[in-house]
Amino acid sequence: MTPGGALSQVTRATAPTVPGTLRFGYGTNGLTDLRLDDALNLLADLGYDGVGLTLDHMHLDPLAPDLAARTRRVSRRLNALGLEVAVETGARYVLDPRRKHGPSLLSPDPEERARRVGLLSRAIRIAAELGAHAVHCFSGIQPVGTDEDTAWRRLADALAPLLDDAAAAGVPLAVEPEPGHLLATLSDFHRLRGALGDPAELGLTLDIGHCQCLEPLPPAECVRAAAPWLRHVQIEDMRRGVHEHLPFGEGDIDFSAVLAALAATDYRGLSVVELPRHSHAGPHFAELSLPFLRRAEAAASAPSHGAHRVPSAGREESSV
């Protein structure tokens, strides 16, 4: 690490948290060309508060035989850098090298569903070891030939033992509404919550871009509506009706309004930048994203925060 990086560690470790200040992280699924240590060093040097750690083969492999030792090393590194962490489980091919996000909690084969449950149970244990504020997960796509009621029963049945694990570990399980999945909207989250009896361990991952993509409410209103169940936040730009994660300023979201709404909630976890398809230029977008978010946060506190748009974080240059 550079001398400046070492200085940033000391500053971050000793600086008090300002009440009401939002805490931002960057997802490792947008830094897949970097070794995990290098990614963590980068984020600490840039001033991020934490990291959304996607469990995958190139970083913290949840299937590695020496997982316990690796997890301890990552925990020590996070502590040394002063980085908070959320554990994310959206790795595309971690369980099956041929099927994206397969198998899922909805797979027709009980043994395949059990593999996904096993991965999430392991993620909860990792999260407890790392001191993570949440474990993120999602439902999966409704399989061809499976009716909707059956798919919802499978999802509830698969999550029930994981909620027991989450309660024992003291780490909430935060389900993400994902476009194209069975559980795609906030309304779907409430359907699941009701089916499970509204357990305290079941929380929500709110992806701000997904709100822009398909929710009937604007993203800021989604934040307010989701506040009681909010356990994890992912953030990026997006356009209406198009599920494409975009750098800030390239979509249609009013981030000042979103961050004002988020600051008004009791949510104190990380808001994690999610740009997985920009991983080839991950350091570039990590460097641009945090200043954009801080500008939007400052604009949110101004009396006229809704009257102007925060300047773009910048498009990728052709040389990147």
Side-chain angles (χ1 to χ4, degrees):
M1 174 171 293
T2 65
L7 178 60
S8 71
Q9 290 179 46
V10 174
T11 302
R12 288 171 49 74
T14 58
T17 300
V18 178
T21 300
L22 298 175
R23 305 185 66 72
F24 297 113
Y26 200 93
T28 58
N29 64 354
L31 296 168
T32 56
D33 290 328
L34 275 65
R35 297 177 182 87
L36 182 56
D37 270 358
D38 292 338
L40 297 180
N41 289 342
L42 171 72
L43 298 181
D45 285 348
L46 291 175
Y48 281 91
D49 300 295
V51 59
L53 177 57
T54 295
L55 303 180
D56 208 349
H57 65 90
M58 78 289 292
H59 288 148
L60 184 57
D61 185 350
L63 304 182
D66 58 344
L67 177 61
R70 293 189 186 198
T71 303
R72 287 192 295 271
R73 286 197 296 271
V74 172
S75 179
R76 290 193 295 268
R77 195 73 191 125
L78 290 168
N79 288 335
L81 293 170
L83 291 173
E84 301 173 29
V85 62
V87 169
E88 301 191 343
T89 61
R92 295 182 179 93
Y93 298 100
V94 68
L95 289 178
D96 189 320
R98 297 173 184 264
R99 292 179 297 168
K100 180 181 177 182
H101 295 152
S104 79
L105 297 174
L106 307 178
S107 295
D109 186 339
E111 292 186 1
E112 290 208 331
R113 293 200 300 275
R115 290 179 62 204
R116 177 62 62 172
V117 169
L119 175 67
L120 293 175
S121 181
R122 187 170 292 203
I124 291 168
R125 295 195 298 272
I126 293 170
E129 177 74 20
L130 298 180
H133 69 77
V135 173
H136 147 278
C137 68
F138 45 74
S139 67
I141 296 170
Q142 182 176 334
V144 175
T146 298
D147 66 84
E148 185 174 322
D149 287 343
T150 298
W152 279 105
R153 283 196 299 272
R154 283 179 191 163
L155 180 60
D157 290 346
L159 286 175
L162 291 169
L163 293 171
D164 292 338
D165 291 347
V171 181
L173 192 65
V175 179
E176 178 188 8
E178 178 77 21
H181 283 209
L182 177 71
L183 197 158
T185 64
L186 289 174
S187 177
D188 292 334
F189 168 75
H190 291 303
R191 175 174 177 172
L192 174 66
R193 187 171 61 84
L196 289 167
D198 196 18
E201 298 75 26
L202 179 67
L204 173 70
T205 293
L206 188 68
D207 187 304
I208 301 303
H210 294 173
C211 296
Q212 178 69 24
C213 178
L214 51 68
E215 291 287 352
L217 295 174
E221 291 298 322
C222 289
V223 170
R224 284 185 275 271
W229 303 277
L230 201 56
R231 300 295 179 268
H232 186 44
V233 173
Q234 296 172 339
I235 191 165
E236 71 285 318
D237 218 338
M238 204 168 286
R239 301 187 183 100
R240 183 69 180 169
V242 182
H243 184 202
E244 181 183 4
H245 292 235
L246 299 172
F248 297 114
E250 296 189 15
D252 302 326
I253 297 175
D254 178 354
F255 285 99
S256 293
V258 166
L259 297 184
L262 193 58
T265 72
D266 289 331
Y267 178 68
R268 294 296 178 263
L270 294 170
S271 297
V272 173
V273 179
E274 189 181 25
L275 292 173
R277 295 187 182 275
H278 295 75
S279 194
H280 65 286
H284 171 76
F285 287 106
E287 184 175 3
L288 294 178
S289 295
L290 185 59
F292 177 92
L293 289 168
R294 291 299 182 200
R295 290 194 301 271
E297 183 183 25
S301 64
S304 59
H305 72 261
H308 67 280
R309 185 174 176 82
V310 178
S312 171
R315 295 180 181 272
E316 177 186 356
E317 297 178 2
S318 59
S319 60
V320 173

